[in-house]
Amino acid sequence: MRTTVGIIGGGPAGLLLARLLHRAGVDCVVLEARTREYVEQRQRAGMLEQGTVDALREAGAAERLVAEGLVHQGIELRFDRERHHIDFPALTGGRTVTIYAQTEIVKDLVALQLADGPPLLFEAAALAVENPQGATPVVRFRHEGRERTLTCDWIAGCDGFHGISRDVFPAGTGRSYAHEYPYSWLGILAEVPPSCDELIYARGERGFALHSMRSPSVSRLYLQVPNGTDADDWPDDRIWDELAARFAIDGDWTLERGPISAKSVTTMRSYVHEPMRHGRLLLAGDAAHIVPPTGAKGLNLAVADVRVLARAFIELHRTGSTQLLDRYSELCLQRVWQATRFSDDMTRMLHAQPNGDAFDDRMQLARLRRITASRHAAAELAVNYSGLPLPL
């Protein structure tokens, strides 16, 4: 096989890149190691920045998003049994965020790709990237029981944190920065309408809790738990009781309970790999960086990478210039580090520290009080949460 851009990974980053390139007349092929069913059912993020919504519109993949997505005007912070609303449009000049599950984004993009897009191969596991610094790098992959090759002009590594793309970088050509947090999230999907109109971030002595949603009838909730927690050790009643305790406020509010359809434990980490390019291989999304989910940045960072990368490939296609491709890593990492900082700040401010003391507790409260008392501090949170502009 031969193509202009070989895309390793058929998650939202790879699929969105393929759509943007296809609409601009740039030839590409997507290789996805998993089955279509697995990819479309994989539970991930659901909060979309304004820029992510705009990118899906640009790709012609926003019809269901516009019809079914839940537009949110802000978030709610809870601490000391009080509730505080952070009004995004008032603080950012009109920007909002939208709740629309990543599983639905993937379904929309897969359907478009299979209907009229370039090749999308499922169960096509990338085995190696060869000659990444040459003029025609090659992806070796296994599909339908035999090994095949995809010869490319460029390769986009969109295959996630555990993919092969980042390992292509030779020793000494890059550096990674990592931090592991001393707690995890126990997440549930519940077949019950959300108990809130917007996301609730709750901080308390018992630990952090988040109330989110996937649709008007499905709630998504999280609890801070110790690392190494087994979800099976948390029966449904225990989960609901703990959520109710952490969301408790002085006033009239009730956490609605319902059947729990899924439980999982997510470890918390920050990770950034520099640079994001090696020869003609360019990393995007989780292949290059991971952030703790507190700031809702993982999917949105991947989309931001893809928007820059698509523009760079389209510029090359139309003008022959590699100027934007040559600046790809530099431009993306500016935004990546700011999103990593914001996610880290939110995480440290809202989670009970396993080895913290009374001083740490007071510092967390002081940070929260500043956000709820200062328009400037609230605006900084709102601007970062709803999405920084692309560095172009």
Side-chain angles (χ1 to χ4, degrees):
M1 299 177 67
R2 180 71 171 84
T3 191
T4 301
V5 180
I7 302 173
I8 305 175
L15 292 169
L16 178 59
L17 177 60
R19 290 304 303 169
L20 293 171
L21 294 181
H22 175 64
R23 289 167 70 88
V26 180
D27 185 43
C28 60
V29 172
V30 181
L31 305 177
E32 167 53 46
R34 302 283 192 166
T35 66
R36 177 180 180 180
E37 291 73 21
Y38 180 91
V39 170
E40 292 185 340
Q41 294 173 13
R42 184 167 45 192
Q43 291 293 331
R44 289 293 188 271
M47 198 293 292
L48 310 184
E49 296 174 356
Q50 184 66 60
T52 297
V53 174
D54 295 342
L56 291 166
R57 289 178 183 270
E58 181 185 349
E63 183 176 348
R64 279 209 307 139
L65 166 61
V66 171
E68 301 174 17
L70 307 175
V71 177
H72 284 192
Q73 307 292 318
I75 60 173
E76 182 179 308
L77 297 177
R78 289 192 181 185
F79 57 95
D80 275 359
R81 301 184 66 88
E82 301 172 358
R83 59 197 304 182
H84 303 268
H85 181 247
I86 307 298
D87 188 330
F88 289 173
L91 294 164
T92 65
R95 290 158 67 184
T96 60
V97 296
T98 301
I99 301 298
Y100 188 68
Q102 178 173 315
T103 50
E104 304 309 308
I105 294 173
V106 170
K107 290 175 186 176
D108 295 341
L109 290 169
V110 166
L112 288 170
Q113 188 86 349
L114 295 179
D116 68 354
L120 164 58
L121 304 182
F122 290 105
E123 299 182 81
L127 304 174
V129 173
E130 299 174 347
N131 194 32
Q133 292 186 290
T136 53
V138 172
V139 181
R140 284 197 297 107
F141 66 100
R142 184 173 300 281
H143 184 241
E144 296 180 340
R146 64 187 182 94
E147 191 171 308
R148 306 177 65 182
T149 59
L150 175 63
T151 303
C152 319
D153 294 333
W154 301 86
I155 298 173
C158 304
D159 50 346
F161 187 73
H162 299 291
I164 70 161
S165 295
R166 191 174 62 254
D167 293 337
V168 174
F169 285 61
T173 62
R175 181 176 178 182
S176 60
Y177 303 82
H179 178 74
E180 300 286 336
Y181 294 88
Y183 33 74
S184 300
W185 277 11
L186 171 63
I188 65 167
L189 275 177
E191 305 300 319
V192 60
S195 304
C196 53
D197 295 325
E198 296 172 341
L199 274 64
I200 301 172
Y201 286 77
R203 178 264 181 208
E205 294 180 359
R206 302 172 70 103
F208 169 76
L210 171 63
H211 193 321
S212 182
M213 65 281 294
R214 286 295 177 264
S215 73
S217 60
V218 178
S219 296
R220 182 74 160 152
L221 302 101
Y222 300 92
L223 285 168
Q224 176 187 347
V225 294
N227 285 341
T229 293
D230 186 339
D232 292 336
D233 292 336
W234 282 75
D236 293 6
D237 286 344
R238 181 188 179 191
I239 292 174
W240 287 117
D241 290 345
E242 188 63 27
L243 285 166
R246 296 190 191 186
F247 288 123
I249 56 171
D250 294 330
D252 185 21
W253 187 84
T254 301
L255 176 66
E256 299 297 332
R257 305 185 182 208
I260 295 176
S261 58
K263 302 177 189 177
S264 62
V265 174
T266 301
T267 57
M268 308 280 281
R269 68 162 65 94
S270 291
Y271 177 92
V272 180
H273 183 276
E274 295 183 349
M276 293 172 59
R277 176 180 174 181
H278 174 60
R280 291 188 172 230
L281 168 67
L282 303 103
L283 305 180
D286 287 0
H289 41 73
I290 296 285
V291 290
T294 325
K297 289 287 155 266
L299 170 62
N300 294 294
L301 268 183
V303 170
D305 291 347
V306 163
R307 294 175 76 190
V308 177
L309 189 53
R311 291 186 190 185
F313 283 137
I314 293 168
E315 178 182 274
L316 175 63
H317 175 69
R318 292 176 177 173
T319 70
S321 172
T322 63
Q323 182 177 1
L324 191 50
L325 275 170
D326 293 338
R327 297 187 63 210
Y328 169 73
S329 183
E330 168 201 348
L331 291 172
C332 287
L333 284 169
Q334 292 176 23
R335 198 176 191 277
V336 165
W337 276 115
Q338 287 303 315
T340 302
R341 176 203 57 78
F342 173 70
S343 299
D344 182 76
D345 287 348
M346 288 283 284
T347 301
R348 294 178 188 272
M349 179 175 67
L350 291 165
H351 288 74
Q353 303 303 314
N355 298 316
D357 55 21
F359 179 82
D360 295 318
D361 181 70
R362 287 298 182 180
M363 286 298 98
Q364 286 182 321
L365 287 173
R367 292 184 180 97
L368 287 163
R369 289 289 179 197
R370 181 170 181 269
I371 290 169
T372 56
S374 163
R375 182 178 178 85
H376 175 77
E380 183 179 3
L381 186 154
V383 166
N384 281 272
Y385 195 99
S386 59
L388 297 173
L390 289 184
L392 291 174

